[in-house]
Amino acid sequence: MAIWKKTFTLEQLNEMGKHCAVGHLGIEISAYGENWIEAKMPVDHRTTQPFGLLHGGVSVALAETIGSLAGFLCIEEGQVALGLDINANHLRPVKQGFVTAKATPIALSQNNHVWQIDIRDEQDKLCCVSRLTLYIKHL
């Protein structure tokens, strides 16, 4: 059963992030299904730390981007999804290529969402696991 309450295309979602941090980091919404959504991000000069590895904070930015977007797509008009908490465990370094973040819901209630975001490298190895909690505010 689909969880999305908004109608969207990948093109529309990518247009939203063009002129902000999402676009600057090269994050692209790449796929979605009934209860998940994914984004890809390059591992390049924009997203690495001085030692040439994917920056942990940028991994968290990717996780928050796709998790917050997922929350936004699951709420009714007249509501907003606000980040309350995010945590991340960095499991494996990445030096090049792309990483893909997949957000899936753990819990979706009227007032809170909890999203699991797994970030994998091009060999499908788990690099980072993150959990995002959103507060759903009724305007």
Side-chain angles (χ1 to χ4, degrees):
M1 184 170 137
I3 60 175
W4 313 123
K5 295 188 176 167
K6 293 182 172 63
T7 303
F8 60 90
T9 66
L10 292 177
E11 293 77 22
Q12 289 168 326
L13 297 179
N14 284 308
E15 187 64 31
M16 287 172 47
K18 244 179 153 174
H19 303 291
C20 61
V22 176
H24 176 72
L25 294 172
I27 297 171
E28 177 186 331
I29 313 308
S30 53
Y32 66 93
E34 288 189 344
N35 68 345
W36 58 271
I37 190 164
E38 284 184 349
K40 286 178 63 176
M41 183 180 71
V43 179
D44 64 16
H45 69 281
R46 297 169 291 180
T47 58
T48 55
Q49 34 92 317
F51 305 105
L53 302 173
L54 178 61
H55 192 292
V58 175
S59 294
V60 175
L62 172 61
E64 179 130 13
T65 296
I66 196 64
S68 293
L69 178 61
F72 165 77
L73 294 172
C74 285
I75 58 176
E76 303 285 346
E77 295 301 323
Q79 296 178 311
V80 293
L82 305 169
L84 280 181
D85 182 65
I86 190 165
N87 66 58
N89 296 102
H90 306 290
L91 307 174
R92 176 184 318 281
V94 183
K95 287 187 170 193
Q96 61 187 11
F98 282 83
V99 290
T100 301
K102 183 175 187 178
T104 54
I106 294 173
L108 303 175
S109 72
Q110 286 186 348
N111 296 317
N112 294 293
H113 288 185
V114 179
W115 291 89
Q116 176 73 31
I117 300 101
D118 292 339
I119 301 175
R120 295 180 178 273
D121 66 14
E122 290 180 311
Q123 289 72 48
D124 202 35
K125 292 182 179 173
L126 194 58
C127 302
C128 178
V129 293
S130 183
R131 183 168 290 179
L132 173 66
T133 304
L134 300 173
Y135 170 62
I136 308 306
K137 180 172 176 54
H138 304 266
L139 300 176

